Amino acid sequence: MYRSHTCGELRIEDKNQEVTLAGWVQKIRDKGFMAWVDLRDRYGITQLIFDEERTPKEMMERATELGREFVIQVKGKVIERESKNPNLPTGDIEILVSELQILNTSELPPFTIEDDTDGGEDIRMKYRYLDIRRNAVKNKLMFRHKVGMQVRNYLSGQGFIEVETPYLIKSTPEGARDFVVPSRMNEGQFYALPQSPQTFKQLLMVGGMDKYFQIVKCFRDEDLRADRQPEFTQIDCEMAFVEQEDILNIFEGLTTHLLKEIKGVKVSEFPRMTYAEAMKKYGNDKPDIRFGMEFGELNELAKNKGFNVFDQQELVVGIAVPGAASYTRKEIDKLIEWVKRPQIAANGLVWVKYNEDGSLKSSVDKFYSEEDLKSWATKTGANPGDLILVMAGDANKTRTQLSALRMHLANDLGLRKADEFAPLWVVDFPLLEWDEESNRFHAMHHPFTSPKPEDMELLKTKPGEVRANAYDLVLNGNEIGGGSIRIHDKATQAEMFNYLGFTPEEAKAQFGFLMDAFEYGAPPHGGIAFGFDRLVAILGGHETIRDYIAFPKNNSGRDVMIDAPAKIDEAQLNELHLKLKL
Amino acid sequence: MYRSHTCGELRIEDKNQEVTLAGWVQKIRDKGFMAWVDLRDRYGITQLIFDEERTPKEMMERATELGREFVIQVKGKVIERESKNPNLPTGDIEILVSELQILNTSELPPFTIEDDTDGGEDIRMKYRYLDIRRNAVKNKLMFRHKVGMQVRNYLSGQGFIEVETPYLIKSTPEGARDFVVPSRMNEGQFYALPQSPQTFKQLLMVGGMDKYFQIVKCFRDEDLRADRQPEFTQIDCEMAFVEQEDILNIFEGLTTHLLKEIKGVKVSEFPRMTYAEAMKKYGNDKPDIRFGMEFGELNELAKNKGFNVFDQQELVVGIAVPGAASYTRKEIDKLIEWVKRPQIAANGLVWVKYNEDGSLKSSVDKFYSEEDLKSWATKTGANPGDLILVMAGDANKTRTQLSALRMHLANDLGLRKADEFAPLWVVDFPLLEWDEESNRFHAMHHPFTSPKPEDMELLKTKPGEVRANAYDLVLNGNEIGGGSIRIHDKATQAEMFNYLGFTPEEAKAQFGFLMDAFEYGAPPHGGIAFGFDRLVAILGGHETIRDYIAFPKNNSGRDVMIDAPAKIDEAQLNELHLKLKL
């Protein structure tokens, strides 16, 4: 036993107790005849006092050898502090040290182990084990554990069984790129790491497991964007004998439970919105509905009034920015520049100030009467004091651009509050989406998603309009989960592969086992998967996931701490029947 | 909603309720005017009755189309059964069907979905989703979930934090062979899949996480023996500021908790035995101590008495087989043949019958007096009625052979009771073991294990005699967990790598990050890992793990259901900068 107590638990009630603590030296104040050390561990900080009148001389001397991040063990008596620290749970007491043992020394850390560190991202990643000592990271990892436990206990309580599915599976051409694993024992063959346990969870439903879940690592070998990791964690769920409504209900339950247990927030409503409506109202299939700024379509009101710029466009659409009528010309110009950035690539913005006094002033006063502008205000839901911003162009592109602007403004205006939670179901996703590059339809969700029965006949005529039994759970503008009711009969599944451009032979080679399974009494089933990294980050009040992952990879997919990936031996390659081709 | 109730929940109290059930057709008995169907789901079986007097005609007709494993939905009334089935929780009632919907048909399954199936291992693995419908498999998977939940809740309650460590890490030459993952973005480089999260959990200790655990998949590309899987699951744990005693205590707690919650068994004792003692007494570092049959060493008593066969041998050692004095000559010959099999490869057995009347009769009566044999009986702890079996030869080999015989006999004699649990700590493992093939010492546990301080000086003179701070938890003759106190200073770690044949450059290239971490205040730490697959199997009363894994691989590392591994495209190989070398 290296300690009788942790550094977070002693209180004034423990006064006069003889205790043993162990931990890291956080801070030293040395006045020669007296020294104070902040001793830190996972549980907190306790102040140690070395006092030449009361601490043995040898220990006083040893204390002078201490440096930041040294690991020490001390024995001593709990005494009342002269100057208490009300910000620290242990702030009423300190330990009068009688024995000091240096368990390990430390070099000067490459960055300060403080809440506000001086270390940049790169150096903190290289020394991630030091970064984890910081509350900022440590607390996020502990938070993640707490969320994981709540998820497991809730789902288990609802009768879900956590089943581990295999990591060494088979590569499939559909979807993102697989990571593969060469097999030594099966010459010239490869396993693939799962992008998700999709087919396995469906087979578990065929197997009668009824309610399955798993918190599981998944892998995608995609070019990394900011905040995307090659390995990520999913809460993967599947249920048999259910319709969409049953799944939405169960996972509203899970979300409500998490918000209550983790955040102390009570959420009573899970509004539902079709994909079409979300795109029309917010230009986005994962709208943040915590604030308004819904789109007002202005085609009828703004076209053919002499402003040529609008006349030729497919869509004229605006939003009302609350309280922004007072923006200066300079502030508005900044917004115009923002939307012209290559990431957004809009042509520009038309603005209308709906002044507090009810008057209207716009960048297009030449073409529109005050009455015209008033009708825009009505359509965008603007109130006196608001600024109306209008974009025009190709419908899909313009919606996406205006959505980006809407989120940008909401962030700026502080409308996206970390402690406010507004979940939303987006339903009726399209089954297929056209891919320009491959010149064919792809499954929007995945090839196992069932079309809505009433849209089935459109499959042959207007495949792009077929809706799927697919749904996303959106929280505060982030997709935290998505799923669908699956196809469970062989004929429909074969037809779907056909639409997706598989030959029957390809379909059989890749997914024959699933279609075979559908011949032996497959029940109706469906499910959902949550991005666990993102869910945890959002519950934690953040939108970047990296700090919620203990050992994340950088944007080149490298672990800079252990320096992986790395070269392997020629002998190892030979065993795997491989040669490099550089 | 496909159902109002599951097939396991209706009771006589529910009589007259209108219910909807969904599930699989387990069995049909059709008498024309009446038919009974056993409807099965995860939760149980409920009997349906079709009765031409009370069931609509159309439904009676549809019932004739049913086959085994069809998926159906029925509506009907709960009625009391005429002939009740006391073996079924729902056996007092049946459902008088008023509506029948066939949700999916089924081909005739390739084996019967019964507790005692007619399907062999191979066919059941190919159609694993059908195998999982059988209680025998389904219950094991549900049991595994239950154990996992208990482990997580217990450890979490003890302050352990589950931290997910990465799956894409770096290949290391030490230990077993790694599975590797070629990197597309880092040309010519490879990730490796973890054989265990060993270094990461140590870094978490350096990072102040204090108590870590994870239920995690691990990977070893080894030639597969029966009951060894290329991917397996580990309960991985690590603690900081602990000594061996602290770890043993915590994990006695976990084991006690599991035995109590899962098996209802109260275990009060966790005896400890040194590795040396275990080898001497049982010839085995994971002895089953539920029964006696401890080794009695007979060198003093059996050598130099004129029986040349023994005189030249390093060790003469025997066991007493309880109640086996009555074995016939034929039975004894069978045992002799058994030990001569190539797997055991012993030369033979000397036997001594200690008859009920106190007389002794042996295969070596020519050389030994009754008094001699009596002394053997005393030494092996034999009682009248026991059979003493004696082997001789090279000490290590003979112990291993006699251990195998001991286990064989215990199985035969029913001494290894599935409902009896006897945990045991084996401690003081050797640090190093000599490897004939590579002609050098290897780490017995792994290179991060700390030597016992008092044995440190032996490292240079008699490295094979250095004991480690390493321990195994043994349950009923199976190693269920193993761990050690780790090295936590750079100098000792570097020295250890040196002893293991690493050049300083190799050590730095492979484990530089860990040794660097030790320079920044690494706390004393240690841990343990449990083989989760085996633990679950043993708690379940079995010793083979395969049925406790949802989708196991066969002895060639293949998943015969999905047919993996498989070939991948040339294009995919090109992207990975690889060529096959066949």
Side-chain angles (χ1 to χ4, degrees):
Chain A
M1 271 295 185
Y2 277 88
R3 62 190 173 199
S4 62
H5 297 77
T6 69
C7 295
E9 69 179 304
L10 290 167
R11 299 289 183 275
I12 191 72
E13 294 75 38
D14 301 301
K15 205 169 131 175
N16 293 325
Q17 260 204 68
E18 289 291 334
V19 298
T20 309
L21 299 185
W24 286 265
V25 172
Q26 172 78 23
K27 211 159 56 181
I28 309 164
R29 274 166 303 146
D30 191 348
K31 300 210 168 181
F33 59 97
M34 254 190 196
W36 292 265
V37 169
D38 280 355
L39 189 67
R40 187 198 68 232
D41 66 11
R42 186 184 109 190
Y43 311 92
I45 284 180
T46 298
Q47 181 167 293
L48 314 176
I49 177 164
F50 296 79
D51 171 355
E52 67 176 7
E53 286 183 12
R54 295 178 288 174
T55 302
K57 198 167 168 235
E58 193 198 334
M59 300 304 149
M60 283 305 285
E61 277 163 14
R62 199 174 289 170
T64 64
E65 296 167 23
L66 296 181
R68 282 192 171 224
E69 301 305 318
F70 274 43
V71 184
I72 63 173
Q73 182 188 42
V74 294
K75 290 186 182 170
K77 188 154 70 169
V78 182
I79 61 173
E80 188 165 356
R81 272 212 217 179
E82 270 183 34
S83 57
K84 303 197 163 65
N85 180 348
N87 299 321
L88 213 61
T90 63
D92 288 348
I93 58 99
E94 58 194 352
I95 311 299
L96 178 63
V97 174
S98 55
E99 257 187 82
L100 165 64
Q101 196 74 35
I102 296 178
L103 300 176
N104 216 339
T105 60
S106 176
E107 300 281 321
L108 191 68
F111 52 87
T112 55
I113 314 292
E114 306 274 2
D115 289 359
D116 286 315
T117 182
D118 58 358
E121 171 99 0
D122 289 352
I123 192 90
R124 288 191 293 111
M125 286 302 151
K126 183 166 163 58
Y127 296 92
R128 183 64 165 174
Y129 44 86
L130 298 180
D131 203 23
I132 290 172
R133 286 188 197 161
R134 297 170 53 239
N135 285 323
V137 180
K138 179 195 75 183
N139 290 343
K140 289 191 178 77
L141 297 180
M142 291 176 64
F143 182 79
R144 181 182 178 113
H145 165 65
K146 195 174 153 193
V147 178
M149 289 299 296
Q150 288 290 348
V151 169
R152 284 196 161 95
N153 281 315
Y154 182 83
L155 290 177
S156 188
Q158 297 288 324
F160 285 80
I161 305 295
E162 184 160 20
V163 180
E164 295 173 54
T165 52
Y167 278 76
L168 297 173
I169 64 166
K170 191 158 81 167
S171 190
T172 64
E174 185 64 17
R177 211 182 274 106
D178 287 321
F179 281 106
V180 298
V181 181
S183 167
R184 179 178 56 87
M185 287 207 279
N186 300 274
E187 203 173 315
Q189 299 187 10
F190 294 76
Y191 301 99
L193 300 177
Q195 295 184 29
S196 92
Q198 182 61 35
T199 50
F200 288 95
K201 70 177 172 177
Q202 292 192 242
L203 292 174
L204 286 171
M205 293 305 103
V206 177
M209 202 40 76
D210 206 73
K211 291 179 177 176
Y212 145 91
F213 85 103
Q214 189 182 189
I215 301 186
V216 61
K217 274 282 177 78
C218 301
F219 304 86
R220 280 181 204 173
D221 184 13
E222 290 182 284
D223 295 329
L224 299 174
R225 296 192 300 238
D227 220 34
R228 196 196 261 172
Q229 292 279 320
E231 52 177 303
F232 55 96
T233 306
Q234 200 161 287
I235 310 172
D236 195 48
C237 308
E238 197 81 2
M239 302 169 75
F241 300 112
V242 288
E243 287 154 345
Q244 177 166 314
E245 194 59 28
D246 305 314
I247 296 189
L248 302 197
N249 282 334
I250 282 277
F251 292 97
E252 286 181 11
L254 172 64
T255 311
T256 304
H257 175 82
L258 292 179
L259 286 169
K260 182 163 155 281
E261 294 299 321
I262 304 282
K263 304 299 293 183
V265 169
K266 207 169 160 272
V267 167
S268 47
E269 260 190 306
F270 284 73
R272 295 179 191 181
M273 191 181 287
T274 66
Y275 172 85
E277 192 185 350
M279 294 310 288
K280 209 170 149 71
K281 268 191 172 168
Y282 298 99
N284 198 318
D285 62 0
K286 44 177 197 282
D288 190 337
I289 57 165
R290 285 175 297 178
F291 55 97
M293 296 173 69
E294 290 177 16
F295 290 8
E297 298 198 351
L298 305 177
N299 278 13
E300 310 269 302
L301 306 173
K303 279 180 162 186
N304 306 316
K305 299 268 179 171
F307 184 50
N308 290 333
V309 176
F310 280 177
D311 291 351
Q312 302 309 315
Q313 304 299 348
E314 190 183 357
L315 180 68
V316 183
V317 59
I319 51 171
V321 190
S326 57
Y327 272 23
T328 60
R329 184 61 219 228
K330 210 169 147 186
E331 284 173 305
I332 292 178
D333 282 347
K334 245 178 94 179
L335 287 178
I336 293 173
E337 253 165 63
W338 192 87
V339 299
K340 286 182 167 175
R341 298 180 321 148
Q343 298 95 314
I344 311 291
N347 296 320
L349 279 175
V350 164
W351 55 264
V352 184
K353 288 184 174 184
Y354 190 5
N355 295 315
E356 290 284 0
D357 63 6
S359 67
L360 291 132
K361 170 91 191 85
S362 82
S363 60
V364 286
D365 279 351
K366 252 188 266 178
F367 307 99
Y368 298 96
S369 69
E370 184 140 347
E371 206 180 324
D372 286 333
L373 298 179
K374 192 86 182 216
S375 75
W376 297 14
T378 307
K379 193 78 187 189
T380 57
N383 293 312
D386 291 357
L387 174 72
I388 302 164
L389 296 173
V390 180
M391 284 178 157
D394 165 77
N396 288 339
K397 215 161 108 184
T398 306
R399 286 188 176 119
T400 304
Q401 291 163 342
L402 190 60
S403 171
L405 178 63
R406 177 178 175 270
M407 294 299 273
H408 174 67
L409 284 161
N411 281 327
D412 264 14
L413 294 165
L415 300 176
R416 308 189 66 209
K417 302 199 182 80
D419 57 350
E420 197 183 325
F421 292 90
L424 167 77
W425 287 108
V426 177
V427 298
D428 294 357
F429 273 80
L431 180 71
L432 304 166
E433 61 184 345
W434 184 256
D435 182 58
E436 295 289 346
E437 206 174 311
S438 58
N439 207 35
R440 67 170 177 89
F441 279 106
H442 280 256
M444 190 151 182
H445 189 54
H446 54 49
F448 315 107
T449 297
S450 64
K452 286 202 178 286
E454 61 268 35
D455 289 3
M456 276 297 275
E457 62 183 30
L458 289 173
L459 254 181
K460 277 170 198 167
T461 52
K462 298 174 185 163
E465 289 181 19
V466 177
R467 292 165 306 160
N469 289 316
Y471 34 82
D472 275 0
L473 183 55
V474 175
L475 186 60
N476 296 358
N478 298 278
E479 182 214 318
I480 57 167
S484 64
I485 298 297
R486 326 299 183 188
I487 296 166
H488 67 281
D489 71 283
K490 186 173 180 171
T492 311
Q493 189 64 69
E495 201 180 335
M496 188 58 50
F497 282 128
N498 181 31
Y499 281 114
L500 296 173
F502 285 73
T503 66
E505 292 69 34
E506 283 166 349
K508 192 174 152 53
Q510 294 299 331
F511 298 110
F513 61 95
L514 186 66
M515 292 196 287
D516 286 351
F518 286 172
E519 295 202 290
Y520 293 100
H525 62 285
I528 192 166
F530 292 84
F532 188 57
D533 306 299
R534 169 140 302 115
L535 175 67
V536 172
I538 291 166
L539 290 175
H542 295 84
E543 294 200 339
T544 54
I545 62 174
R546 199 168 284 187
D547 273 351
Y548 287 88
I549 297 171
F551 299 102
K553 295 195 170 52
N554 74 8
N555 282 347
S556 317
R558 292 199 72 82
D559 182 327
V560 296
M561 180 184 72
I562 64 169
D563 196 22
K567 289 193 174 133
I568 61 172
D569 284 354
E570 194 67 25
Q572 218 170 339
L573 279 173
N574 283 337
E575 274 196 323
L576 297 170
H577 325 287
L578 290 178
K579 251 165 65 178
L580 293 184
K581 185 179 171 186
L582 303 177
Chain B
M1 271 297 184
Y2 278 87
R3 62 192 172 198
S4 61
H5 297 77
T6 69
C7 296
E9 68 180 304
L10 290 168
R11 298 289 182 274
I12 191 72
E13 294 76 37
D14 301 302
K15 203 168 135 177
N16 292 325
Q17 260 203 69
E18 289 291 334
V19 299
T20 309
L21 299 185
W24 285 264
V25 172
Q26 172 78 25
K27 213 162 51 185
I28 309 164
R29 274 167 303 145
D30 191 348
K31 300 211 167 177
F33 60 96
M34 253 190 198
W36 292 266
V37 169
D38 280 356
L39 189 67
R40 186 198 68 229
D41 66 11
R42 186 183 107 191
Y43 311 91
I45 285 180
T46 298
Q47 181 167 294
L48 314 177
I49 177 165
F50 296 79
D51 171 355
E52 67 178 4
E53 286 182 15
R54 295 177 287 174
T55 300
K57 194 164 172 238
E58 190 199 337
M59 300 304 148
M60 283 304 288
E61 278 163 14
R62 199 174 288 170
T64 64
E65 297 167 21
L66 296 180
R68 282 194 172 225
E69 301 306 318
F70 274 42
V71 185
I72 63 173
Q73 183 189 39
V74 295
K75 290 187 182 168
K77 190 153 70 166
V78 181
I79 60 173
E80 189 165 354
R81 273 212 217 179
E82 270 182 35
S83 58
K84 303 201 165 62
N85 180 348
N87 299 321
L88 213 60
T90 64
D92 288 348
I93 59 99
E94 58 194 351
I95 311 298
L96 177 63
V97 175
S98 54
E99 257 188 81
L100 165 64
Q101 194 75 36
I102 296 177
L103 300 175
N104 216 340
T105 59
S106 175
E107 301 280 320
L108 191 70
F111 52 88
T112 54
I113 314 293
E114 306 273 2
D115 290 0
D116 285 316
T117 182
D118 57 358
E121 171 99 1
D122 290 350
I123 192 91
R124 288 191 293 112
M125 286 301 153
K126 183 164 164 58
Y127 297 90
R128 182 65 165 174
Y129 44 87
L130 298 179
D131 204 23
I132 291 172
R133 286 189 196 158
R134 297 171 53 239
N135 285 325
V137 181
K138 181 194 76 181
N139 290 343
K140 290 190 179 76
L141 297 179
M142 291 177 64
F143 182 78
R144 182 183 177 111
H145 165 66
K146 194 173 155 194
V147 178
M149 289 298 296
Q150 289 290 349
V151 169
R152 284 196 162 96
N153 282 315
Y154 182 83
L155 290 176
S156 188
Q158 297 287 323
F160 285 80
I161 304 294
E162 183 160 20
V163 180
E164 294 173 53
T165 51
Y167 278 76
L168 297 173
I169 64 165
K170 192 157 82 169
S171 189
T172 63
E174 185 64 20
R177 214 182 274 107
D178 288 319
F179 281 107
V180 298
V181 181
S183 167
R184 179 178 55 89
M185 291 208 277
N186 301 273
E187 204 174 315
Q189 298 186 10
F190 294 75
Y191 302 98
L193 299 178
Q195 294 184 28
S196 93
Q198 182 62 34
T199 51
F200 287 95
K201 70 175 173 178
Q202 291 192 243
L203 292 174
L204 286 171
M205 294 304 103
V206 177
M209 201 42 74
D210 207 74
K211 290 179 178 176
Y212 145 92
F213 84 103
Q214 191 182 188
I215 301 186
V216 63
K217 273 282 176 80
C218 300
F219 305 85
R220 279 181 206 173
D221 183 12
E222 290 183 285
D223 296 329
L224 299 174
R225 296 192 301 237
D227 221 33
R228 194 197 261 172
Q229 291 281 320
E231 51 178 305
F232 55 96
T233 306
Q234 200 161 288
I235 309 172
D236 195 48
C237 308
E238 196 80 4
M239 302 170 76
F241 299 113
V242 289
E243 287 155 344
Q244 175 166 317
E245 194 60 27
D246 305 314
I247 296 189
L248 302 197
N249 282 333
I250 282 276
F251 293 96
E252 286 181 11
L254 171 65
T255 311
T256 304
H257 175 82
L258 291 179
L259 286 169
K260 183 164 155 280
E261 294 299 322
I262 303 282
K263 303 301 292 184
V265 169
K266 208 169 160 272
V267 167
S268 47
E269 259 192 307
F270 283 75
R272 295 179 190 180
M273 191 181 287
T274 65
Y275 171 86
E277 194 186 348
M279 293 309 290
K280 209 170 150 70
K281 268 190 171 167
Y282 299 99
N284 197 319
D285 60 1
K286 43 179 198 285
D288 189 337
I289 57 166
R290 285 176 297 178
F291 56 97
M293 294 172 69
E294 290 178 18
F295 290 8
E297 299 197 353
L298 306 176
N299 278 13
E300 311 269 300
L301 307 174
K303 280 181 163 187
N304 305 317
K305 299 267 180 172
F307 185 50
N308 289 333
V309 178
F310 281 176
D311 291 351
Q312 302 308 316
Q313 305 299 346
E314 191 182 357
L315 179 69
V316 183
V317 59
I319 50 172
V321 189
S326 56
Y327 273 22
T328 61
R329 183 62 217 231
K330 209 169 151 190
E331 284 171 306
I332 292 178
D333 281 347
K334 243 176 97 181
L335 287 179
I336 293 172
E337 253 165 62
W338 192 88
V339 300
K340 284 182 168 175
R341 298 181 319 148
Q343 298 95 316
I344 311 291
N347 295 321
L349 279 175
V350 164
W351 55 265
V352 183
K353 289 184 176 186
Y354 190 2
N355 296 313
E356 290 284 1
D357 64 5
S359 67
L360 290 133
K361 170 92 190 87
S362 82
S363 59
V364 285
D365 280 351
K366 251 188 266 179
F367 307 98
Y368 298 96
S369 68
E370 184 141 349
E371 202 180 328
D372 286 331
L373 298 177
K374 192 92 184 210
S375 74
W376 297 12
T378 307
K379 193 79 187 188
T380 57
N383 294 311
D386 293 355
L387 175 72
I388 302 165
L389 296 173
V390 181
M391 285 179 156
D394 164 78
N396 288 338
K397 217 161 105 183
T398 307
R399 286 189 176 117
T400 304
Q401 291 163 341
L402 190 59
S403 171
L405 178 63
R406 176 178 176 269
M407 295 299 273
H408 174 69
L409 284 162
N411 282 327
D412 263 13
L413 294 166
L415 300 175
R416 307 189 66 209
K417 303 200 181 80
D419 57 349
E420 196 182 328
F421 293 89
L424 167 77
W425 286 110
V426 177
V427 298
D428 296 358
F429 273 80
L431 182 70
L432 304 167
E433 60 183 346
W434 185 255
D435 182 60
E436 295 289 346
E437 205 174 311
S438 57
N439 208 32
R440 66 173 176 87
F441 279 106
H442 279 257
M444 189 152 185
H445 189 53
H446 54 51
F448 315 107
T449 297
S450 65
K452 287 204 177 284
E454 61 268 35
D455 288 3
M456 276 297 273
E457 62 183 31
L458 289 174
L459 255 181
K460 277 169 201 169
T461 51
K462 299 175 184 162
E465 291 183 17
V466 176
R467 291 165 308 160
N469 290 314
Y471 33 84
D472 276 359
L473 183 54
V474 174
L475 185 60
N476 296 359
N478 298 277
E479 181 214 319
I480 57 166
S484 64
I485 298 296
R486 326 299 183 186
I487 296 165
H488 68 281
D489 71 282
K490 187 173 178 168
T492 311
Q493 189 63 68
E495 201 179 334
M496 189 56 53
F497 283 128
N498 181 30
Y499 280 115
L500 296 173
F502 285 72
T503 66
E505 292 70 33
E506 284 167 348
K508 191 173 154 50
Q510 294 300 330
F511 298 108
F513 61 95
L514 186 67
M515 291 198 286
D516 285 352
F518 286 172
E519 295 203 290
Y520 293 100
H525 62 285
I528 193 167
F530 292 83
F532 188 57
D533 307 299
R534 170 140 299 117
L535 175 65
V536 172
I538 291 166
L539 289 175
H542 296 86
E543 292 201 340
T544 55
I545 62 175
R546 199 168 283 187
D547 272 351
Y548 288 88
I549 297 172
F551 300 101
K553 295 194 169 51
N554 74 7
N555 281 349
S556 317
R558 295 198 69 83
D559 182 326
V560 295
M561 180 185 70
I562 63 168
D563 196 23
K567 286 192 178 136
I568 61 172
D569 284 353
E570 194 66 26
Q572 215 171 340
L573 278 173
N574 283 336
E575 275 197 321
L576 296 171
H577 325 287
L578 290 178
K579 254 166 61 179
L580 293 183
K581 186 179 171 183
L582 303 176

